[in-house]
Amino acid sequence: MNPQEAKARIEELSRLINHHNHLYYVLDRPEISDFEFDMLLEELIGLEKQFPHYVLPDSPTQRVGGAVTKSFASVKHRYPMLSLSNSYSEGEIMEFHQRVSKLLDEPAEYVCELKYDGVAISLRYEDGLLVQAVTRGDGTQGDDVTTNVKTIRSIPLKLTGDYPASFEIRGEIYLSRESFNRINEDREAEGLPLLANPRNAASGTLKMQDSAEVARRRLDCWLYYLMGENLPFETHYQSLQAAKSWGFRIASNMALCRTTDEILEFINDWKTGRYQLPFDIDGIVIKVNNFRQQQILGFTAKSPRWAIAYKYKAEEVATRLQSVSYQVGRTGTVTPVANLEPVLLAGTTVKRASLHNADIIAQLGLHENDMVVVEKGGEIIPKITSVKTEYRLQGAKAVSFIANCPECGSQLERNAGEAAWFCPNSDHCPPQIKGKLEHFIHRKAMNIESLGQGRIELLYDKGLVTTPADLYDLKAEQLLGLEKTYTGDDGKTRTVSFREKTVENILSAIEKSKEVPFGRVLFALGIRFVGETVASKLASAFGDIDRLAAAGFEQLTAVDEIGEKIAESVIEWFSRPEHRELVERLRAHGLKMENDQEPEHASNTLAGKTIVVSGVFSRFSRDEAHRLIEMHGGKNASSISAKTSFVLAGENMGPAKLEKARQLGIPILGEQEFLALIGQV
Ligand code: IVH
């Protein structure tokens, strides 16, 4: 492709991808498949690499991150970022309305909005381009987090329509509960401490140094406040509607209200309605709609007089403690759970509450059969906030933490300085074995996901699998027809079963897992503190499992980023005979216990040929296709140009690529033809 063509194609692709981004992330109305979208993005990434000087300032490739910020620059806000005064009762809303009415001497109209529970952000746009994103900081100056914010796909990098030349728009960056849970699931798999709630997670994510990691975490943003000089709008509501037409994802669920009754109705509707939202809110914001009126009302030192926040109190109710049970987690941590007399709270019946750890029980001074106050806050699981000692039954004994594991009887242990008790019997305690098996099959480890959703648990319960190596001995006859009904923590029952198709999928996933590279096998073994990144570092430093198993403390800590804690854990793990036996059994089954060799040279059939791979294949993955091409002397390219010798096309090849190949008259080979060409049929 000549530079002129490349420039035009880069512009076209950027525009197309930004358009489809907006359809997907802002309007929730996609027009092309994820696959087609990925193909467009891949083509753009390829072209930008070849012609970096044509990369546009609003290039959608910034969304995938990559840039690393060592420390965020501190930026002074052009307009201070104020907070809102809070209210907690209907009376305070009435007073607010009275104050406003008195100062204005004319009727006011209000906009009620959700109060998003995230991190405030101010976005600056110049000539339609996002130029700066700054956190609230102390209200006067905040951190420049532009690179990270650009990874948020609902935030437009370039505006469309009739936007002002220069303005700021403010809003809230947040994580949906789904994204938050996913992050925690991955952290659990890696043995990292869990994040407390979506707000803290969003705030931590925004300050991460590696923007590629930020992109993976899927932050999102609602915008609720437009600011600038001489903006041509009479009302707040109009300004947000205009912002919507420029491409912004503006606050959802707004209502225009004229009376306090209408405001209170909105507040009451969302009091329980909020639990149905996919993200957290902590209240309602009420704003005077008219900008002229806002100006008359003005500001106090801290907050505008034209707006107020109504904060939902965490709902609470008193109920009787029936008993305390103890759950042993995958890593052996013992968590106490309060079983309660069922009670209605925030629209659901609560029967259990987490007590977190022994220290919390002691702090509450919890006694048997106590009357306790249960609160439903931002978190999904309710918690006990206090004990009504005046209702304590005579002779009731204090709740004392158990000394032995309820699952295997081992004496519990506690590390100095840590609140949690744990069961040290990591290799033989049932929930810990199940935890290890679940970790082994995890998407990021051996990727045998078809055994998820309780199936691996069933295999364990039936005595078929007690160590990961047992998976590789499984036969179809043993699995077919297996079935069990479980009652979950939520009291609901579900049936786990193995039908023919499921069994086929499982066995082929188990077989395919033998191709998983050594680094991930190492991660799958579940050695304490050896997460995904550490595993891949160890794999490349030692090359194979025997050298790693033989490595001493000095050798281990000499590896970049391997500290004492990890080194000790690795040595301890390999010192146990049962672990060595596990490694040998897995090796005998053909799992990779060493790094892959560089692709060997097979032939010169494709020498001098430049090949573009597109679509999905049944006999090999795309990575394997690239490797096959190299093995036979060919060169891989990511975008089609006049220099392309042929396109290796699978199912679902992107329409843009297909069209391009046709235009340039480039041959398209299917999977079979390709294999025939390299003599592999
Ligand atoms: S308006 C001048 N609208 O709540 C005040 N704020 O204490 C401009 N918030 O710092 C803010 N949802 O982080 C506004 N719909 C909404 C909001 C909202 C959440 C946050 C924001 C602000 C804090 C106020």
Side-chain angles (χ1 to χ4, degrees):
M1 186 177 293
N2 71 39
Q4 231 31 50
E5 285 168 349
K7 183 165 178 283
R9 184 65 183 156
I10 285 178
E11 283 167 6
E12 188 189 2
L13 284 168
S14 299
R15 192 185 51 75
L16 262 176
I17 296 168
N18 280 332
H19 170 68
H20 287 297
N21 243 325
H22 182 242
L23 285 174
Y24 189 99
Y25 291 100
V26 180
L27 303 180
D28 201 10
R29 217 175 51 213
E31 284 177 4
I32 59 172
S33 70
D34 290 0
F35 179 78
E36 286 165 313
F37 184 89
D38 289 346
M39 296 306 280
L40 295 176
L41 192 62
E42 209 178 284
E43 188 184 347
L44 180 60
I45 292 172
L47 277 177
E48 285 187 350
K49 227 185 247 163
Q50 252 180 299
F51 301 95
H53 44 290
Y54 293 141
V55 176
L56 295 172
D58 66 326
S59 169
T61 55
Q62 299 169 82
R63 306 279 196 200
V64 289
V68 172
T69 316
K70 278 276 173 250
S71 71
F72 298 100
S74 183
V75 179
K76 193 165 173 338
H77 290 296
R78 198 166 296 204
Y79 315 99
M81 277 181 93
L82 300 176
S83 59
L84 297 171
S85 57
N86 288 328
S87 64
Y88 297 89
S89 65
E90 296 194 353
E92 285 170 280
I93 296 297
M94 310 270 216
E95 281 165 27
F96 167 70
H97 173 59
Q98 275 158 10
R99 263 198 317 274
V100 167
S101 309
K102 200 164 153 207
L103 285 166
L104 288 181
D105 215 15
E106 61 179 6
E109 186 183 43
Y110 301 96
V111 180
C112 290
E113 295 167 12
L114 305 181
K115 187 169 187 312
Y116 303 101
D117 196 9
V119 187
I121 193 81
S122 189
L123 308 175
R124 166 152 282 281
Y125 285 79
E126 303 280 358
D127 298 320
L129 289 179
L130 171 63
V131 290
Q132 199 169 47
V134 185
T135 62
R136 184 184 144 90
D138 63 4
T140 313
Q141 53 185 39
D143 288 337
D144 182 334
V145 288
T146 315
T147 316
N148 285 347
V149 164
K150 282 184 171 174
T151 68
I152 302 175
R153 305 196 178 213
S154 59
I155 293 183
L157 302 173
K158 186 179 181 179
L159 306 177
T160 53
D162 189 17
Y163 47 80
S166 167
F167 68 91
E168 274 183 38
I169 190 161
R170 292 185 176 168
E172 204 83 354
I173 290 182
Y174 72 97
L175 271 169
S176 68
R177 269 184 232 119
E178 189 188 342
S179 302
F180 170 72
N181 290 338
R182 203 179 158 88
I183 295 171
N184 264 350
E185 273 166 30
D186 287 350
R187 290 179 71 87
E188 190 169 20
E190 293 184 31
L192 295 169
L194 301 189
L195 303 174
N197 56 48
R199 186 190 349 101
N200 289 0
S203 151
T205 303
L206 204 55
K207 298 282 181 60
M208 288 177 115
Q209 295 186 338
D210 177 3
S211 60
E213 181 54 28
V214 179
R216 274 191 286 278
R217 287 193 166 192
R218 301 283 153 157
L219 290 169
D220 212 333
C221 183
W222 291 112
L223 294 160
Y224 48 62
Y225 189 26
L226 186 75
M227 313 183 78
E229 314 296 326
N230 305 321
L231 296 177
F233 307 107
E234 270 178 34
T235 66
H236 168 65
Y237 190 82
Q238 274 175 7
S239 74
L240 289 190
Q241 294 309 319
K244 186 175 175 181
S245 76
W246 309 329
F248 289 108
R249 183 170 183 252
I250 60 148
S252 58
N253 309 98
M254 288 194 286
L256 285 167
C257 299
R258 293 206 155 266
T259 63
T260 41
D261 278 353
E262 286 170 358
I263 297 175
L264 295 175
E265 191 183 329
F266 188 87
I267 290 176
N268 279 327
D269 282 352
W270 285 105
K271 194 169 172 180
T272 47
R274 65 187 166 133
Y275 297 112
Q276 256 71 55
L277 292 168
F279 49 82
D280 289 348
I281 64 169
D282 60 346
I284 297 297
V285 180
I286 302 123
K287 299 173 181 171
V288 168
N289 193 19
N290 188 292
F291 282 140
R292 185 182 50 80
Q293 292 182 340
Q294 283 192 5
Q295 229 166 8
I296 297 174
L297 292 163
F299 296 83
T300 68
K302 279 187 285 180
S303 52
R305 281 199 202 88
W306 46 263
I308 193 165
Y310 179 94
K311 298 255 274 190
Y312 289 121
K313 263 186 277 179
E315 291 200 47
E316 53 174 43
V317 67
T319 187
R320 190 69 72 189
L321 173 73
Q322 291 181 324
S323 63
V324 175
S325 45
Y326 296 85
Q327 287 175 348
V328 184
R330 296 160 188 206
T331 50
T333 310
V334 180
T335 310
V337 178
N339 300 304
L340 307 165
E341 207 163 276
V343 63
L344 204 63
L345 175 63
T348 47
T349 306
V350 174
K351 293 185 203 137
R352 289 143 69 83
S354 172
L355 283 166
H356 301 286
N357 57 50
D359 294 354
I360 302 277
I361 295 180
Q363 271 162 29
L364 286 169
L366 196 62
H367 282 54
E368 287 168 354
N369 296 110
D370 263 351
M371 198 70 182
V372 294
V373 179
V374 187
E375 173 188 296
K376 186 140 171 179
E379 289 81 26
I380 312 286
I381 305 162
K383 62 178 179 214
I384 295 182
T385 51
S386 63
V387 174
K388 289 186 171 280
T389 44
E390 64 273 29
Y391 295 108
R392 181 162 292 158
L393 305 180
Q394 263 196 346
K397 277 196 266 162
V399 172
S400 64
F401 207 84
I402 48 168
N404 294 84
C405 175
E407 300 278 346
C408 71
S410 305
Q411 194 162 11
L412 299 182
E413 292 179 11
R414 163 140 110 160
N415 289 330
E418 280 177 23
W421 287 92
F422 68 93
C423 165
N425 186 15
S426 60
D427 284 336
H428 303 104
C429 177
Q432 298 194 62
I433 301 174
K434 283 188 225 172
K436 286 204 174 64
L437 293 169
E438 270 161 16
H439 172 76
F440 188 82
I441 63 166
H442 193 270
R443 169 172 51 86
K444 291 187 165 191
M446 304 307 281
N447 192 20
I448 317 178
E449 290 258 288
S450 39
L451 268 179
Q453 289 166 352
R455 295 211 177 93
I456 190 88
E457 192 174 343
L458 175 55
L459 295 185
Y460 174 79
D461 291 345
K462 297 278 179 197
L464 288 168
V465 175
T466 54
T467 105
D470 295 339
L471 288 172
Y472 297 88
D473 290 326
L474 288 174
K475 302 273 173 300
E477 320 70 273
Q478 293 173 293
L479 302 180
L480 272 171
L482 279 185
E483 194 171 281
K484 191 166 170 177
T485 303
Y486 291 90
T487 308
D489 284 350
D490 50 6
K492 290 190 187 128
T493 54
R494 64 200 161 88
T495 304
V496 180
S497 61
F498 285 78
R499 287 182 239 287
E500 204 162 326
K501 188 77 199 147
T502 319
V503 171
E504 238 174 69
N505 287 341
I506 291 170
L507 291 178
S508 82
I510 291 177
E511 197 50 38
K512 199 153 191 302
S513 75
K514 295 179 181 171
E515 289 159 26
V516 165
F518 171 48
R520 271 170 54 198
V521 174
L522 193 55
F523 170 56
L525 293 176
I527 304 172
R528 207 155 177 234
F529 306 126
V530 180
E532 216 184 345
T533 324
V534 170
S536 97
K537 288 238 150 72
L538 289 172
S540 40
F542 292 93
D544 67 49
I545 200 141
D546 299 317
R547 264 180 249 160
L548 176 65
F553 187 79
E554 306 284 298
Q555 265 172 296
L556 284 162
T557 47
V559 178
D560 186 32
E561 280 182 53
I562 305 300
E564 296 178 5
K565 209 166 71 169
I566 301 172
E568 275 163 13
S569 170
V570 169
I571 293 171
E572 203 274 333
W573 196 89
F574 282 105
S575 73
R576 300 216 201 169
E578 62 266 38
H579 291 161
R580 291 200 172 239
E581 190 198 317
L582 171 66
V583 169
E584 286 325 311
R585 276 185 67 197
L586 292 175
R587 193 197 315 255
H589 280 296
L591 271 70
K592 295 204 169 156
M593 293 296 168
E594 58 188 20
N595 283 335
D596 287 332
Q597 304 298 318
E598 288 299 301
E600 73 252 49
H601 182 73
S603 82
N604 276 329
T605 319
L606 302 177
K609 296 212 172 357
T610 302
I611 299 149
V612 174
V613 178
S614 179
V616 280
F617 305 90
S618 59
R619 302 265 307 268
F620 43 75
S621 70
R622 269 215 271 174
D623 282 346
E624 283 158 354
H626 290 140
R627 235 188 49 227
L628 283 171
I629 288 169
E630 280 172 20
M631 276 168 65
H632 292 273
K635 216 175 105 199
N636 285 293
S638 56
S639 58
I640 299 172
S641 72
K643 288 199 198 111
T644 309
S645 314
F646 66 82
V647 177
L648 167 55
E651 289 274 309
N652 276 335
M653 173 175 169
K657 275 197 176 160
L658 202 59
E659 181 55 34
K660 189 79 204 246
R662 287 219 180 97
Q663 267 176 16
L664 295 171
I666 291 162
I668 296 177
L669 264 66
E671 185 169 343
Q672 280 308 321
E673 290 166 287
F674 173 71
L675 288 172
L677 182 67
I678 57 171
Q680 290 210 356
V681 267

